[in-house]
Amino acid sequence: MMEIDEDTCDWLGCSTPLEMYKHQCSLLEDEINDLQRRLAKARANIAGLVHMNDALITWKASAEERLRSITADLSDANVHSSELSKEVMGLKMIASQNEHLRIENQRLRMELTVLSGPQP
């Protein structure tokens, strides 16, 4: 059998270890650059979300303040409405009594006319 001491890697078209390391470094550099672009984009997205969140918190606080103000106004309106309702009920009672007295007055006038007889 024949022993050959020569390195046959070059004959088969295989890369040398140095070429393989350079290729691996190139792949890693590309991956790092891609990750840095993604990280910058993610940071920009996060900054935008933080800004949106701050705006929503401010809007929510404003809306809650308006709600408290409107609720207080509604409560005042309910109290005023209740007072007006009491006044209306009192006026209805007076109107009912007035109607009753008017009818009673007519009845009494009629009785008086009958008792006093015909007028000359």
Side-chain angles (χ1 to χ4, degrees), residues 17-79:
L18 180 60
E19 290 173 332
M20 289 191 313
Y21 289 136
K22 286 182 178 180
H23 181 67
Q24 185 65 28
C25 285
S26 175
L27 291 174
L28 287 173
E29 284 176 354
D30 289 343
E31 189 173 337
I32 288 170
N33 289 334
D34 181 52
L35 289 173
Q36 285 177 335
R37 280 190 300 275
R38 287 183 183 182
L39 181 60
K41 185 178 177 183
R43 284 180 176 159
N45 287 343
I46 290 170
L49 290 172
V50 167
H51 179 70
M52 288 170 57
N53 187 51
D54 290 343
L56 287 173
I57 287 172
T58 302
W59 179 84
K60 180 183 175 234
S62 172
E64 287 174 341
E65 180 58 35
R66 283 182 289 163
L67 178 63
R68 280 191 290 276
S69 174
I70 290 170
T71 302
D73 290 347
L74 182 61
S75 178
D76 291 343
N78 282 337
V79 168

Side-chain angles (χ1 to χ4, degrees), residues 79-106:
V79 168
H80 184 65
S81 172
S82 177
E83 290 170 358
L84 289 176
S85 179
K86 288 177 187 176
E87 286 181 33
V88 167
M89 290 304 291
L91 291 174
K92 283 184 177 181
M93 188 182 305
I94 291 170
S96 173
Q97 291 171 352
N98 185 17
E99 181 65 18
H100 175 70
L101 290 174
R102 188 185 63 78
I103 292 170
E104 184 65 18
N105 188 23
Q106 284 180 349

Side-chain angles (χ1 to χ4, degrees), residues 6 33 48 108 116:
E6 294 181 34
N33 289 334
L108 290 173
S116 48

Side-chain angles (χ1 to χ4, degrees), residues 5 12 15 43 106:
D5 291 335
L12 301 174
S15 302
R43 284 180 176 159
Q106 284 180 349

